[in-house]
Coordinates of all heavy atoms in Angstrom, one line a residue:
D56 N 115.3 161.6 76.2 CA 115.3 163.0 76.3 C 115.9 163.4 77.7 O 116.3 162.5 78.4 CB 113.9 163.6 76.1 CG 112.8 163.0 76.9 OD1 113.1 162.6 78.1 OD2 111.7 162.8 76.4
E57 N 115.7 164.6 78.1 CA 116.3 165.0 79.4 C 115.7 164.3 80.6 O 116.3 164.0 81.6 CB 116.2 166.5 79.6 CG 117.0 167.4 78.6 CD 116.9 168.8 78.8 OE1 116.1 169.2 79.7 OE2 117.5 169.6 78.1
G58 N 114.4 164.0 80.5 CA 113.8 163.3 81.6 C 113.6 161.8 81.4 O 112.9 161.2 82.3
W59 N 114.1 161.3 80.4 CA 113.9 159.9 80.1 C 115.1 159.3 79.4 O 115.3 159.6 78.2 CB 112.6 159.7 79.3 CG 112.1 158.3 79.2 CD1 112.3 157.4 78.2 CD2 111.4 157.6 80.2 NE1 111.7 156.2 78.5 CE2 111.1 156.3 79.7 CE3 110.9 158.0 81.5 CZ2 110.4 155.3 80.5 CZ3 110.2 157.0 82.2 CH2 109.9 155.7 81.7
N60 N 115.9 158.4 80.1 CA 117.1 157.9 79.5 C 117.0 156.4 79.2 O 115.9 155.8 79.5 CB 118.3 158.2 80.3 CG 118.2 157.7 81.7 OD1 117.7 156.6 82.0 ND2 118.7 158.5 82.7
Q61 N 118.1 155.8 78.8 CA 118.1 154.4 78.4 C 117.8 153.5 79.6 O 117.1 152.5 79.5 CB 119.4 154.0 77.8 CG 119.7 154.7 76.4 CD 121.0 154.4 75.9 OE1 121.6 153.4 76.3 NE2 121.5 155.2 75.0
S62 N 118.3 153.9 80.8 CA 118.1 153.1 82.0 C 116.6 153.0 82.4 O 116.2 152.1 83.1 CB 118.9 153.6 83.2 OG 118.5 154.9 83.5
M63 N 115.9 154.0 81.9 CA 114.4 154.1 82.2 C 113.6 153.3 81.2 O 112.4 153.1 81.3 CB 113.9 155.5 82.3 CG 114.6 156.3 83.4 SD 114.1 158.0 83.4 CE 114.9 158.7 84.8
G64 N 114.3 153.0 80.0 CA 113.6 152.3 79.0 C 113.6 153.0 77.6 O 113.0 152.4 76.7
A65 N 114.2 154.1 77.6 CA 114.3 154.8 76.3 C 115.1 154.0 75.3 O 115.9 153.2 75.6 CB 114.9 156.2 76.5
D66 N 114.9 154.3 74.0 CA 115.5 153.6 72.9 C 117.0 153.9 72.8 O 117.4 155.1 72.7 CB 114.8 154.0 71.6 CG 115.1 153.0 70.4 OD1 116.2 152.4 70.5 OD2 114.3 152.9 69.5
A67 N 117.8 152.9 73.0 CA 119.3 153.1 72.9 C 119.7 153.4 71.5 O 120.9 153.9 71.3 CB 120.0 151.9 73.5
F68 N 118.9 153.0 70.5 CA 119.2 153.2 69.1 C 118.0 153.8 68.5 O 117.2 153.2 67.8 CB 119.6 151.9 68.5 CG 120.7 151.1 69.1 CD1 120.5 150.2 70.2 CD2 122.0 151.4 68.8 CE1 121.5 149.6 70.8 CE2 123.1 150.7 69.4 CZ 122.8 149.8 70.4
P69 N 117.8 155.1 68.7 CA 116.6 155.8 68.2 C 116.5 155.9 66.7 O 115.4 156.1 66.2 CB 116.7 157.2 68.8 CG 118.1 157.4 69.1 CD 118.7 156.1 69.4
D70 N 117.6 155.6 66.0 CA 117.5 155.6 64.5 C 117.6 154.2 63.9 O 117.8 154.1 62.7 CB 118.7 156.5 64.0 CG 118.5 158.0 64.4 OD1 117.4 158.5 64.5 OD2 119.6 158.6 64.8
N71 N 117.5 153.2 64.7 CA 117.6 151.8 64.2 C 116.4 151.1 64.7 O 116.2 150.7 65.9 CB 118.9 151.2 64.8 CG 119.1 149.8 64.2 OD1 118.2 149.2 63.6 ND2 120.3 149.2 64.4
A72 N 115.5 150.8 63.8 CA 114.2 150.2 64.2 C 114.3 148.7 64.7 O 113.5 148.2 65.3 CB 113.2 150.2 63.0
S73 N 115.5 148.1 64.4 CA 115.7 146.7 64.8 C 116.3 146.6 66.1 O 116.5 145.4 66.6 CB 116.5 146.0 63.7 OG 117.8 146.5 63.6
E74 N 116.7 147.7 66.7 CA 117.4 147.6 68.0 C 116.8 148.7 68.9 O 116.4 149.8 68.5 CB 118.9 147.9 67.9 CG 119.7 146.8 67.1 CD 120.0 145.6 67.9 OE1 119.5 145.5 69.1 OE2 120.7 144.7 67.4
H75 N 116.7 148.4 70.2 CA 116.3 149.4 71.2 C 117.0 149.4 72.5 O 116.9 150.3 73.3 CB 114.7 149.3 71.4 CG 114.4 148.1 72.3 ND1 114.2 146.9 71.8 CD2 114.2 148.1 73.7 CE1 113.9 146.0 72.8 NE2 113.9 146.7 73.9
R76 N 117.8 148.3 72.7 CA 118.5 148.1 74.0 C 119.9 147.7 73.8 O 120.2 146.9 72.9 CB 117.7 147.1 74.9 CG 118.2 147.1 76.3 CD 117.4 146.1 77.2 NE 117.7 144.7 76.7 CZ 117.3 143.6 77.4 NH1 116.7 143.7 78.6 NH2 117.6 142.4 76.9
D77 N 120.8 148.1 74.8 CA 122.2 147.6 74.8 C 122.5 147.3 76.2 O 123.0 148.1 77.0 CB 123.1 148.8 74.3 CG 124.6 148.3 74.3 OD1 124.8 147.1 74.4 OD2 125.4 149.2 74.1
L78 N 122.2 146.1 76.6 CA 122.3 145.7 78.0 C 123.6 145.8 78.6 O 123.8 146.3 79.7 CB 121.8 144.2 78.1 CG 121.8 143.6 79.6 CD1 120.8 144.4 80.4 CD2 121.4 142.1 79.5
D79 N 124.7 145.4 77.9 CA 126.0 145.5 78.4 C 126.8 146.8 78.1 O 127.9 146.9 78.5 CB 126.9 144.3 78.0 CG 126.9 144.1 76.4 OD1 126.4 145.0 75.7 OD2 127.5 143.2 75.9
G80 N 126.1 147.7 77.3 CA 126.7 149.0 77.0 C 127.9 148.9 76.2 O 128.8 149.8 76.3
D81 N 128.0 147.9 75.3 CA 129.2 147.8 74.4 C 128.9 148.4 73.1 O 129.8 148.3 72.2 CB 129.5 146.3 74.2 CG 128.4 145.5 73.6 OD1 127.3 146.0 73.4 OD2 128.7 144.3 73.4

Side-chain angles (χ1 to χ4, degrees):
D56 53 37
E57 292 183 358
W59 193 258
N60 56 38
Q61 295 176 18
S62 65
M63 298 175 177
D66 196 335
F68 303 92
D70 297 322
N71 185 348
S73 63
E74 297 280 5
H75 74 275
R76 188 180 68 166
D77 180 14
L78 183 62
D79 57 2
D81 61 355

